[in-house]
Amino acid sequence: MSQLLTARQAEELHKAMIAYMTAANLPQSCAALREELGESISVEDSTLKKYEGLLEKKWTSVVRLQKKIMDLETRIAGLQTELDTATPTSLSRKNQDPVSWLPRAPARHDLESHRQPVTCVAFHPIFSSLASGSEDTTIKIWDWELGELERTIKGHTRAVLDVDYGGPRGGTLLASCSSDLTIKLWDPADEYKNIRTLPGHDHSVSAVRFIPSGAAGSPMSGNLLVSASRDMTLRIWDVTTGYCVKTLQGHSAWVRDVAPSPDGRFLFSAGDDQVPRLWDISSGEPKATFLGHEHVIECVAFAPTTSYPYLAPLAGLKKPPPASSSAEFVATGARDKTIRLWDARGNLIKTLVGHDNWVRALVFHPGGKYLLSVADDKTIRCWDLTQECKCVRTINAHDHFVSSIRWAPPLIKDSNGAAGANGSADSATANGAKDDPNAASKMSIRCVLATGSVDLKVRVFAS
């Protein structure tokens, strides 16, 4: 005993033991202990009161600490696994490089105010505003840096299915679409006033996206918007006039999602007919179809040019395509629980298996090395394109199905200012200029992403 406890600690323990045995009505044991200790310890009745319950408290504290230690050991084991699967590059940069940054739990902010499942999220290209749409018919605008609700926008009469920021230079708008068959345009500069409603679709409007600058017919403006609908069509709108300028027909069922290429020349869409289509916007004709999924396709995405060096080897190419070509690779996620990577000609180059339920949304890391996905299995999964698309991180993101994920758009560091966040980085190449070898350094990747879920929450993950 003397080797472990000091004389004072031993005395405290003996007194606590005598107090415990007295309280537990064990007079014989108590007397035996007192006799063995002899004159080395004297315990008065007043002293016993002081030590009552001390032994029990110490005991329960030890149990709690043991549980805490076990939890920490589990956490350490998980972090060690992450380190073991990390790329040497990311290790050497100590995760300070935004190109290698990946989200981790817990989220920085839990944003709660919606009364029904959250269906979509979108970041303002310049300010720290985040929009979320919900089945409760509202759109909510949050400050994602502060984690505060700024305002609630009402106007739709049924579920809001998608939101997106974009629009003409210097005039960012928020577009939303709904099961009420309409698309609405809101002006963030005028307290999100509803400035236009676009009717025309014959069924629910599932997705809406601004087409970046460089689009055919309007190379220097971002005034075009594309929508996908359950009426089996895609429609292209001029947001300055409110007119539908083109209707794309070819899908044989509900079109769930649509994505424009970074230079605005192509569209990629998919849905219930399980056959994604790549469209040439200028002609309005399908350029390629993609066969392989075995269930409804929920989401589509264009690979950024930064991912070409990692996707090219998977596609069997000796060197990556030029950065001036913005529609070389695409990704799809479906209810068959898989994610598929394709080249622009419709050839399947990789199938990513790992999610345990429907894949709901996809986003490529702006740095190009990763693809992130969310699903009804409540997780975010991070796929490393440099390691044969291995899943290198799984985050338990929500308490229910995860419906959406968006990455905060990068800021452009050049003299054009933040307006470039709307897509101006691609306008030079779209207009025939040479590739800028320093383009990547001019892009400031924001290590921020948001997810929406059926658990009514929007979560913001940030470095």
Side-chain angles (χ1 to χ4, degrees), residues 175-186:
S176 62
C177 63
S178 167
S179 298
D180 64 13
L181 316 191
T182 68
I183 299 161
K184 289 183 180 289
L185 299 174
W186 316 84

Side-chain angles (χ1 to χ4, degrees), residues 186-205:
W186 316 84
D187 186 359
D190 190 12
E191 298 187 335
Y192 284 89
K193 179 182 177 182
N194 179 209
I195 59 170
R196 204 178 294 281
T197 298
L198 310 178
H201 278 295
D202 299 325
H203 214 314
S204 297
V205 189

Side-chain angles (χ1 to χ4, degrees), residues 24-182:
N25 196 24
L26 301 169
Q28 293 179 350
S29 301
C30 185
L33 180 59
R34 283 174 180 267
E35 184 181 344
E36 288 208 21
L37 292 172
E39 296 180 359
S40 65
I41 187 167
S42 62
V43 184
E44 307 297 331
D45 289 343
S46 58
T47 309
L48 283 179
K49 289 288 182 186
K50 177 183 173 184
Y51 287 93
E52 269 185 16
L54 183 62
L55 208 59
E56 294 98 317
K57 288 176 184 175
K58 296 282 188 184
W59 180 267
T60 52
S61 295
V62 168
V63 173
R64 281 200 303 272
L65 287 170
Q66 283 178 327
K67 184 179 184 303
K68 197 167 186 179
I69 289 168
M70 290 171 66
D71 291 343
L72 287 170
E73 285 176 343
T74 304
R75 174 74 175 145
I76 289 168
L79 292 171
Q80 186 61 51
T81 302
E82 284 185 19
L83 282 172
D84 293 342
T85 56
T87 61
T89 310
S90 64
L91 284 173
S92 64
R93 293 176 184 177
K94 298 180 182 178
N95 292 327
Q96 297 303 307
D97 185 358
V99 172
S100 299
W101 180 83
L102 288 175
R104 65 170 66 247
R108 179 190 284 188
H109 296 301
D110 276 18
L111 309 179
E112 298 183 68
S113 181
H114 282 295
R115 297 182 178 181
Q116 293 289 325
V118 179
T119 56
C120 50
V121 291
F123 285 93
H124 192 288
I126 303 165
F127 305 120
S128 60
S129 295
L130 173 69
S132 61
S134 166
E135 290 180 12
D136 64 14
T137 76
T138 70
I139 301 163
K140 292 186 183 285
I141 308 299
W142 315 81
D143 184 316
W144 60 259
E145 283 189 331
L146 300 177
E148 297 175 354
L149 177 65
E150 291 185 339
R151 70 176 66 240
T152 299
I153 305 171
K154 298 179 180 179
H156 284 292
T157 57
R158 296 190 68 184
V160 179
L161 299 181
D162 201 10
V163 288
D164 194 40
Y165 281 100
R169 287 295 162 77
T172 299
L173 301 174
L174 175 68
S176 62
C177 63
S178 167
S179 298
D180 64 13
L181 316 191
T182 68

Side-chain angles (χ1 to χ4, degrees), residues 117-120 360-361 374-376 400-405 451-454:
V118 179
T119 56
C120 50
R360 290 289 191 174
V374 295
D376 282 358
H400 212 311
F401 304 158
V402 191
S403 60
S404 50
I405 183 170
T451 55
S453 169
V454 175

